[in-house]
Amino acid sequence: ETGVTQTPRHLVMGMTNKKSLKCEQHLGHNAMYWYKQSAKKPLELMFVYSLEERVENNSVPSRFSPECPNSSHLFLHLHTLQPEDSALYLCASSLENNQPQHFGDGTRLSIL
Amino acid sequence: EDKVVQSPLSLVVHEGDTVTLNCSYEVTNFRSLLWYKQEKKAPTFLFMLTSSGIEKKSGRLSSILDKKELFSILNITATQTGDSAVYLCAVTFSGNTGKLIFGQGTTLQVKP
């Protein structure tokens, strides 16, 4: 139990669907992150939120839309995804930016 | 372009062996270097290094940073099968962006 919970654990969707990934942290942290992990590629940082404000957007396509309603919750809204978007999406949190991050177990996303 | 490179990419050893994993980096505005262990799911934090020459130690694991030569090593002594995992190195940047770049990881397999 890492204190960071992601749902769903697995998601299969078509390219025209709209779905959302959810992340919740119970650690009292102020910063939250979305990462993409593809086979044989380094973990890629997608978005960073600090105190509910987006502070980093790593040139992510607009078909990925993050939302951070409060410091404990983070969403990643998905629409019109491509097959190359199939990957493990990891959420993380840290006390402040640039502090060690605690990761969730991820959502395994498959795009048909 | 900022980059983090780990070597070797994979390693197979026997229980009791000592291993050394390498992480080199070329980045602007370096702040810290972090090591994580990833088994099946969530990466778990091992060490954060900010100063050269100061060894961090936790049980059989230790790590050190050389900011002049721009690299870090992670040592594992008396390896056990439970050490089998992917070891990830990441670099953080000065400023408040929360930006962080990961290396490709080193896959370690420890055989009985």
Side-chain angles (χ1 to χ4, degrees):
Chain A
E1 181 60 50
T2 66
V4 180
T5 303
Q6 290 188 243
T7 55
R9 298 293 296 276
H10 301 272
L11 179 61
V12 179
M13 56 188 284
M15 289 192 283
T16 57
N17 292 156
K18 289 185 181 181
K19 296 284 184 184
S20 296
L21 309 185
K22 179 182 175 182
C23 177
E24 184 174 0
Q25 57 97 359
H26 308 277
L27 302 168
H29 288 170
N30 293 316
M32 296 187 78
Y33 311 78
W34 279 117
Y35 289 89
K36 176 183 180 182
Q37 189 171 37
S38 306
K40 301 193 190 304
K41 290 178 71 175
L43 261 172
E44 299 171 60
L45 179 65
M46 300 175 73
F47 300 104
V48 180
Y49 277 82
S50 178
L51 295 170
E52 301 140 52
E53 181 181 333
R54 191 191 306 181
V55 295
E56 176 79 4
N57 174 359
N58 226 19
S59 302
V60 178
S62 60
R63 58 186 184 267
F64 295 92
S65 174
E67 178 190 1
C68 187
N70 55 63
S71 59
S72 299
H73 294 86
L74 185 64
F75 295 90
L76 187 63
H77 304 299
L78 317 170
H79 66 96
T80 325
L81 294 194
Q82 305 298 310
E84 63 265 27
D85 297 322
S86 298
L88 180 68
Y89 288 84
L90 289 164
C91 173
S93 70
S94 61
L95 187 58
E96 305 290 345
N97 274 344
N98 297 316
Q99 294 297 307
Q101 296 173 20
H102 296 249
F103 284 82
D105 285 338
T107 294
R108 175 69 61 185
L109 177 65
S110 299
I111 307 300
L112 302 179
Chain B
E1 182 186 343
D2 297 323
K3 60 181 179 180
V4 177
V5 177
Q6 293 185 244
S7 63
L9 292 181
S10 64
L11 190 56
V12 181
V13 300
H14 288 93
E15 274 191 314
D17 288 350
T18 292
V19 298
T20 297
L21 309 184
N22 301 286
C23 176
S24 63
Y25 60 93
E26 288 181 35
V27 303
T28 53
N29 301 316
F30 173 88
R31 180 189 180 107
S32 65
L33 186 145
L34 300 100
W35 285 97
Y36 288 86
K37 176 184 181 183
Q38 186 175 23
E39 296 176 83
K40 293 200 187 315
K41 298 170 186 172
T44 53
F45 170 72
L46 296 175
F47 299 112
M48 182 167 79
L49 303 154
T50 54
S51 302
S52 274
I54 299 174
E55 185 183 53
K56 295 263 179 122
K57 200 169 170 64
S58 176
R60 295 176 294 103
L61 277 67
S62 63
S63 184
I64 198 161
L65 174 67
D66 185 329
K67 290 170 74 172
K68 183 180 175 187
E69 300 297 330
L70 309 182
F71 76 93
S72 173
I73 59 172
L74 175 68
N75 277 322
I76 309 175
T77 59
T79 52
Q80 302 171 356
T81 55
D83 295 326
S84 297
V86 177
Y87 290 84
L88 301 168
C89 166
V91 167
T92 69
F93 296 76
S94 301
N96 197 34
T97 65
K99 179 182 173 184
L100 166 148
I101 294 180
F102 277 86
Q104 324 92 297
T106 294
T107 301
L108 174 65
Q109 182 184 358
V110 181
K111 292 187 171 182

